[in-house]
Each structure stands twice: as structure tokens, then as C-alpha cells.
Amino acid sequence: MATAPRKTVSTGGAVVEHLIVVVLLALLASTAVAVIRLTNLFAVVMLFGIYSLLSASVFLVMNAGDVAFTEAAVGAGIATVLMLSTMALCAPREMPSRRNKPLRLLLVALTGAVLVWGTMDLPGFGDPSAPANQHVAPRYIQESPREIGIPNMVSSILASYRGFDTFGEVTVIFTAGLGVLMLLAGRRRKKGGEES
Amino acid sequence: MSLLFEHYNYWVAIFLMMTGFYTVISRGNLVKQVVGLNIFQASVFIFYISLAYVDGGATPIVKEGVEVYANPLPHVLILTAIVVGIATTALGLALIVRIKEAYGTIEEDEIREADQRDGKDSDA
């Protein structure tokens, strides 16, 4: 008795979720087009921050809370700050490029057409019986609260089932951090040498 | 028509990916190319998360009375990808700062011209 009304609520909710996703995706697409057209780099970087925040909202609507707050913090926050500081150190405007634009547009359109052709066989959006939702995912959903003992399945998989992936991720971040430090530390030393 | 309702998320992800791709190959400004790469990257995230979405499902955190959850595995992959993405973006931006110091510009066309000039000078 209790499941019947919940089911109708959830299908109604699903329609609303789809509508919100459509609106957010349209906003994302227009932001991306505006990024191409603008030449003021400050506006481009700010629009990229908006783009990240919009994609975080899409993740939230698609029930990916952990991904949403990571994207909001890292994509909209840290990436925008890094890009702004690079822009401030380098150039505020973009020069017009002398590249052959129609040819590149054609290449992009062709690639996009091939990719759209590739989606024809994909399972529908939100399909619970899609192969991606079948293999190990049900096991993680059913067993991880008991096996790992924490309610958040994303954290269980990240830190336990796929701990080696996360270890690899940390290695990549460490290497990138070292690289940034070496690139920018050399810069400071050179400046100091010039001054003295 | 049902194809449109079931696949629009993939097509918007592809559109976003292609706008990022176009920004990278058609613009010469290095900061803008990095923004384009990030747009490309975020479109892949949207593609993965939309694969994980289940109609009527909930966020994958155990809750009383909830039976259907979104697939947590793509969420984990994308969490990793977001963090790796910011690391590579930071490295790229640091490289841009050094290129600006070495060449005085971050426009690819001008950098190439400067390289060609230098090549001629050393030949002469």
C-alpha cells in the first residue's frame, strides 16, 4: 500500500527532473557558445566559472551529490581562481587568430556527427536496465553498507573497493603539484637574480 | 521522437564537447585553449553522470525506505577525474606563465613566428 503512492510521486519527480536537466543543459550549451565568441579573457574565465557551477547543478539533479560539490568547489572555485591569476599575469585580451576557421568548423561538425551516430545504440537516459547499471553496481549498492559500514556508497567505493585508483589519483596530483612548483619556483629565482 | 527524449543528454554532452574541441583548435590564445579543454572535460563528466542516472533513483547514500539508487560507480570515476583535471589544468596554466615570460606573448601564432625568427638567426 505504501509503495503505490511513492511510485507515482517518483515518476512525477522524474518528469520534473528531466525538465530541470533540459533547462540546465540549454544554459550550459549557450554558455559554451559564448565562451567561443568572446575575446575578453576576464569574461571568458568568468563564464567558465558559471559553466562549472551549471554542470555542478546538473550533477545534483542527476543524483550525484558528491560529484556536484566537488565540481562546485574545484571547477567553479579553484579552477576559476587559477585561470584568473594566469590571465592577470599574462594578457587581458585575446588576439584574433589567423587560422582557417571554416575548415576547423567542418572537422568539428564531422566529429560531432560521428559521435551522435555512435549514441544511437546507447540505452535511454535514466534506463534502470542499462548495462552500465547492471554489472557490479547492484553489488556495491546492496553490499557496501554492510561490508564497509558507511552509508555513503561513493565514499565506500572511492576509499575501499577502488582504493588503488584513488592512490593513482593522489600520485597524479602529487606529480602535477611538483611540476607547478618547479615551473614557478624557477621563475621567482630568475626574477631575484635580475634584481640583485 | 522517443529517441530525442532518451538521448538528448548524450547529444548535449557531444555538443559541449565539440564547442570545447573547436575552441582548442580554432583559437590561438593559450588561456582560452585551456578553458576550451576544461569545457571538453566537463562534457565528459556530464556524459558519465547521465549514464549513472536512474529514473526515480536517489543519491547513493543509504536511507530508510529508499530502494532505487543512482549508480555510484561512475560518480567515483568522475570524482577522480575532476581532481586529476584540476591538477593538469594547474600544470598547463603554470606552463602558460613561463611561456609568457620567455616569449612575451601567449598567442600561438606569435610564438611560432618568434620561433621561426630565432631559427633563422641561429642559421645565419
Side-chain angles (χ1 to χ4, degrees), chain B residues 20-120:
Chain B
F21 183 30
Y22 182 69
T23 313
V24 172
I25 64 171
S26 77
R27 294 292 186 271
N29 186 292
L30 294 176
V31 172
K32 193 147 177 185
Q33 287 187 351
V34 170
V35 173
L37 266 181
N38 273 281
I39 288 179
F40 190 102
Q41 197 178 27
S43 78
V44 179
F45 301 163
I46 291 169
F47 178 75
Y48 262 70
I49 298 298
S50 68
L51 280 177
Y53 176 78
V54 175
D55 268 331
T59 304
I61 297 173
V62 176
K63 205 177 150 199
E64 282 295 318
V66 178
E67 295 289 317
V68 186
Y69 294 102
N71 185 351
L73 190 54
H75 296 182
V76 175
L77 299 179
I78 295 313
L79 270 182
T80 310
I82 288 176
V83 179
V84 168
I86 188 70
T88 51
T89 303
L91 196 63
L93 291 173
L95 276 171
I96 292 176
V97 171
R98 294 306 303 266
I99 286 172
K100 167 75 176 173
E101 276 180 358
Y103 288 87
T105 177
I106 53 166
E107 299 290 335
E108 223 179 89
D109 298 340
E110 292 172 10
I111 293 169
R112 199 170 295 133
E113 276 168 20
D115 271 347
Q116 277 165 357
R117 263 201 312 276
D118 289 354
K120 271 182 198 146

Side-chain angles (χ1 to χ4, degrees), chain A residues 6 10 14 17-18 21-22 25 28-29 32-33 35-39 41 44-45 48 51 55 58-59 61-67 70-71 74 78-79 82-83 86-87 89-91 93-99 101 104-105 107-108 111-112 115-116 119-120 122-128 132-133 136-137 140-141 145 151-154 157-158 162 165 169 172-173 176 179-180 182-184 186-187 190-191, chain B residues 3 5-29 31-36 38-40 42-43 45-47 49-62 65-84 86-98 100-102 106-110 112-113:
Chain A
R6 193 189 296 139
S10 71
E17 277 180 7
H18 277 265
V21 167
V22 169
L25 288 180
L28 270 174
V33 172
V35 166
I36 293 188
R37 297 184 60 89
L38 285 172
T39 55
L41 286 181
V44 166
V45 172
F48 174 72
Y51 179 89
S55 47
V58 171
F59 299 152
V61 179
M62 289 181 181
N63 296 323
D66 301 79
V67 184
T70 310
E71 174 71 25
V74 170
I78 302 175
L82 288 178
M83 283 175 185
T86 309
M87 190 209 79
L89 283 172
C90 294
R93 288 199 81 82
E94 176 197 5
M95 298 292 165
S97 171
R98 290 187 295 267
R99 299 179 181 190
K101 296 232 171 75
R104 284 156 210 269
L105 200 60
L107 177 70
V108 166
T111 317
L115 287 175
V116 168
T119 63
M120 290 302 162
L122 280 177
F125 180 41
D127 184 2
N133 300 334
V136 286
Y140 286 148
I141 290 172
N152 188 334
M153 299 161 201
V154 175
I157 300 174
L158 189 77
R162 304 234 162 183
D165 284 11
E169 172 199 342
V172 170
I173 298 164
V180 171
M182 285 163 81
L183 280 168
L184 296 183
R187 171 174 175 263
K190 199 177 143 201
K191 261 193 181 164
Chain B
L3 199 68
F5 288 123
E6 288 183 341
H7 286 68
Y8 68 89
N9 57 317
Y10 306 131
W11 295 342
V12 176
I14 289 170
F15 177 80
L16 294 174
M17 183 185 262
M18 288 305 115
T19 42
F21 183 30
Y22 182 69
T23 313
V24 172
I25 64 171
S26 77
R27 294 292 186 271
N29 186 292
V31 172
K32 193 147 177 185
Q33 287 187 351
V34 170
V35 173
N38 273 281
I39 288 179
F40 190 102
S43 78
F45 301 163
I46 291 169
F47 178 75
I49 298 298
S50 68
L51 280 177
Y53 176 78
V54 175
D55 268 331
T59 304
I61 297 173
V62 176
V66 178
E67 295 289 317
V68 186
Y69 294 102
N71 185 351
L73 190 54
H75 296 182
V76 175
L77 299 179
I78 295 313
L79 270 182
T80 310
I82 288 176
V83 179
V84 168
I86 188 70
T88 51
T89 303
L91 196 63
L93 291 173
L95 276 171
I96 292 176
V97 171
R98 294 306 303 266
K100 167 75 176 173
E101 276 180 358
I106 53 166
E107 299 290 335
E108 223 179 89
D109 298 340
E110 292 172 10
R112 199 170 295 133
E113 276 168 20

